Amino acid sequence: MLSLKVKRLMEAKRSRVKHSRRLPRYLSWISKPPLMSRALSTPPAIGRYCVVTPYRQRPAAVTISPGHGIKLDLPNYAPGLAVIPINNPENRFCLLLAACSQPQISENLEKGAQSSTAVKDIPSVATGPGNGLTGFYTALARLESGQRKRPVVVVHLGDSHIAADRFSGDLRQQFQRRFGNAGRGLVQPGKAFKYFNARGVSTQQTKGWKAANSFFDETGPYSLTGVRLEVASAGEVLKLMVDNRDRQQEIEVEFLAGPEAGSVEITAGDKIKALDLRSSKSQIRRFKIMARTLSIKTLDARPVAVLGWSSYLPNPGVRYVSLGLPGATADVMARWDSSLVSAEMKYLKPDLIIFGYGTNEGFKDDLNGAAYQWRFETLVANLRKSANNPSLLVLGAPDSTRLPKYARKQELNPECKALSPQEVAQYSSLLAQKSQTLARWHAPPGLARVRTAQKRAAQNLKAAYWDWSQVMGGE
């Protein structure tokens, strides 16, 4: 006979296991209404919500019923969020509770159905005179009506927010569900960096291949992907795979050709092709073939560099290309070879370019806002010119917080609170003095300067501007 105490312990353990299977660990606390009530200054309104955390970008849908009962789902969510930052004392970071502004679209998406909202009804996110997304919306409308047969291409450049293809991957899924899937499009080569992920495709590589990252290493050349996978020995293998194995796609590899470049052997099924990458000048050399998998093997000790690879489906739809580098700032674009980028843009023919930089710049306390605006505006204008004037969307830097290093070892439970005007004015001196007034989670003051610069640049370029921080609730 087991004692009553042992039985209760076993029942509690089974309850915890059952609970963890039903609910992701990082959201498990939300099922406790008392903690929710303490976290919020006022009880949440009855309705449908989306939950997003800084560490897990895939959202969860939440329904708050009368009496503040909470039901959690994990399907898709609708864009256009009004977000309220709340403090989570248990995990010491700010959870984001986002109210879905279009619940009817969210419900349709959860059922796997396409939204009935027409393209003309999609709200503009542009600010200031003109609408920077008019050309993009027109392309989508023509695609949806069948007037356009060529894919609508989106190129999303940014930092760690899209490096693991979570945020961008969800957007790709939403676009392709409604407008059709034209394939994954351009991807950074191999294992580009530690947290690299690209939905829908995968790679394998032998140890000889090394990735050069334009954020860490200025030594070029780099193309639009910002990454170069290279090797200088014979017998090294790189394997590229499309996850949808039941359907052949067009796989395309981009090599860097040049006077000293080596040779490779490409295998796709029963087809084998030898390719000499020598060229009189540095340029992109492309190889494409219909396949599910493709292997590249180096044939000699001369250098071989892969700049990127793509998978395409031969039908109309949307291709959402996302190219993010962890830690990157907008200045990383200045390290890319202009001739290679120009050739890449002319080849891709994007209808929309999205710029998602600003978070890392915002943590630079000595950032000069005017100088940053000039650099950002110049880089964006140059990229638009090389791409034949597509629509532009600038994502204002999202809300982000800092806990000073000197406060991290203290035995306290720091709150998440915006800086006062006085703290902003004296920020550098307070930080140098290790002031206890800053010993809490707070947004660094540089983020506001970055957003102001980005918004002004977008207005000057007649681009759309989406204030991510305001969508997250603002200050």
Side-chain angles (χ1 to χ4, degrees), residues 2 44 169 184 202 233 259 264 368 404 428:
L2 294 173
R184 177 62 175 77
S202 54
S233 58
V264 296
N368 183 303
S428 296

Side-chain angles (χ1 to χ4, degrees), residues 368-383:
N368 183 303
Y372 176 74
Q373 179 189 332
W374 180 85
R375 294 198 310 275
F376 182 80
E377 191 172 325
T378 301
L379 291 166
V380 171
N382 289 340
L383 209 58

Side-chain angles (χ1 to χ4, degrees), residues 85-273:
I86 61 176
N87 186 41
N88 178 3
E90 183 175 294
N91 292 317
R92 295 191 178 188
F93 63 84
C94 292
L95 189 78
L96 309 179
L97 183 65
C100 290
S101 63
Q102 297 171 300
Q104 74 283 357
I105 296 180
S106 180
E107 291 168 4
N108 287 340
L109 291 175
E110 288 170 23
K111 296 174 184 177
Q114 292 186 346
S115 167
S116 59
T117 306
V119 173
K120 63 182 176 60
D121 296 326
I122 299 175
S124 169
V125 297
T127 59
N131 182 350
L133 297 179
T134 300
F136 176 60
Y137 285 164
T138 300
L140 288 177
R142 289 176 57 81
L143 181 67
E144 193 170 46
S145 66
Q147 300 177 57
R148 175 173 171 143
K149 303 302 180 184
R150 182 170 61 86
V152 172
V153 179
V154 178
V155 173
H156 188 164
L157 305 174
D159 50 28
S160 56
H161 292 105
I162 62 169
D165 204 20
R166 294 193 181 105
F167 178 75
S168 52
D170 283 353
L171 286 172
R172 183 183 305 107
Q173 183 182 38
Q174 302 280 15
F175 274 116
Q176 293 183 343
R177 176 178 289 158
R178 175 173 173 180
F179 298 102
N181 182 357
R184 177 62 175 77
L186 182 63
V187 180
Q188 288 155 325
K191 189 69 175 177
F193 39 80
K194 186 176 181 180
Y195 302 107
F196 175 76
N197 182 55
R199 291 191 201 175
V201 296
S202 54
T203 64
Q204 294 176 1
Q205 63 195 60
T206 52
K207 293 183 179 180
W209 293 95
K210 304 298 179 184
N213 185 323
S214 58
F215 174 62
F216 296 108
D217 183 3
E218 295 185 33
T219 307
Y222 296 101
S223 68
L224 190 67
T225 62
V227 174
R228 188 179 66 254
L229 191 68
E230 55 191 359
V231 67
S233 58
E236 299 292 346
V237 177
L238 174 64
K239 190 174 183 180
L240 312 174
M241 297 163 285
V242 177
D243 292 348
N244 186 5
R245 304 294 178 80
D246 60 343
R247 183 178 182 185
Q248 281 197 340
Q249 299 190 29
E250 188 173 59
I251 298 180
E252 181 178 72
V253 186
E254 296 185 352
F255 296 98
L256 178 63
E260 305 299 325
S263 300
V264 296
E265 181 182 82
I266 300 175
T267 303
D270 58 354
K271 299 177 181 178
I272 301 176
K273 171 75 172 180

Side-chain angles (χ1 to χ4, degrees), residues 172-447:
R172 183 183 305 107
Q173 183 182 38
Q174 302 280 15
F175 274 116
Q176 293 183 343
R177 176 178 289 158
R178 175 173 173 180
F179 298 102
N181 182 357
R184 177 62 175 77
L186 182 63
V187 180
Q188 288 155 325
K191 189 69 175 177
F193 39 80
K194 186 176 181 180
Y195 302 107
F196 175 76
N197 182 55
R199 291 191 201 175
V201 296
S202 54
T203 64
Q204 294 176 1
Q205 63 195 60
T206 52
K207 293 183 179 180
W209 293 95
K210 304 298 179 184
N213 185 323
S214 58
F215 174 62
F216 296 108
D217 183 3
E218 295 185 33
T219 307
Y222 296 101
S223 68
L224 190 67
T225 62
V227 174
R228 188 179 66 254
L229 191 68
E230 55 191 359
V231 67
S233 58
E236 299 292 346
V237 177
L238 174 64
K239 190 174 183 180
L240 312 174
M241 297 163 285
V242 177
D243 292 348
N244 186 5
R245 304 294 178 80
D246 60 343
R247 183 178 182 185
Q248 281 197 340
Q249 299 190 29
E250 188 173 59
I251 298 180
E252 181 178 72
V253 186
E254 296 185 352
F255 296 98
L256 178 63
E260 305 299 325
S263 300
V264 296
E265 181 182 82
I266 300 175
T267 303
D270 58 354
K271 299 177 181 178
I272 301 176
K273 171 75 172 180
L275 190 64
D276 188 343
L277 299 174
R278 283 178 295 182
S279 173
S280 59
K281 64 177 182 179
S282 180
Q283 60 184 336
I284 297 175
R285 174 81 57 82
R286 295 182 174 86
F287 175 86
K288 65 172 65 176
I289 190 171
M290 291 296 294
R292 294 182 180 88
T293 64
L294 182 147
S295 293
I296 302 168
K297 181 180 178 180
T298 57
L299 297 179
D300 51 51
R302 290 178 294 166
V304 171
V306 179
L307 300 176
W309 71 287
S310 309
S311 65
Y312 304 126
L313 286 172
N315 47 256
V318 171
R319 286 184 192 139
Y320 196 108
V321 176
S322 57
L323 303 169
L325 295 172
T329 67
D331 288 325
V332 74
M333 294 186 285
R335 298 181 176 182
W336 303 342
D337 185 279
S338 59
S339 62
L340 295 180
V341 170
S342 180
E344 191 81 80
M345 282 298 189
K346 286 180 172 60
Y347 188 76
L348 291 176
K349 298 182 175 66
D351 298 277
L352 171 67
I353 305 178
I354 302 174
F355 297 89
Y357 300 100
T359 299
N360 299 297
E361 293 95 319
F363 280 76
K364 297 180 178 180
D365 297 325
D366 59 349
L367 181 96
N368 183 303
Y372 176 74
Q373 179 189 332
W374 180 85
R375 294 198 310 275
F376 182 80
E377 191 172 325
T378 301
L379 291 166
V380 171
N382 289 340
L383 209 58
R384 177 174 63 179
K385 184 179 179 181
S386 69
N388 196 25
N389 201 33
S391 295
L392 300 180
L393 172 59
V394 176
L395 305 184
D399 194 12
S400 190
T401 57
R402 162 192 283 167
L403 180 63
K405 290 183 180 180
Y406 64 82
R408 296 176 189 176
K409 296 182 180 179
Q410 299 178 16
E411 292 298 327
L412 49 80
N413 190 9
E415 61 180 343
C416 182
K417 182 181 177 182
L419 297 172
S420 68
Q422 293 79 9
E423 289 171 331
V424 171
Q426 303 171 18
Y427 190 78
S428 296
S429 60
L430 290 173
L431 204 60
Q433 297 167 16
K434 298 184 178 180
S435 170
Q436 288 302 301
T437 63
L438 298 183
R440 67 178 192 272
W441 288 102
H442 59 271
L447 278 171

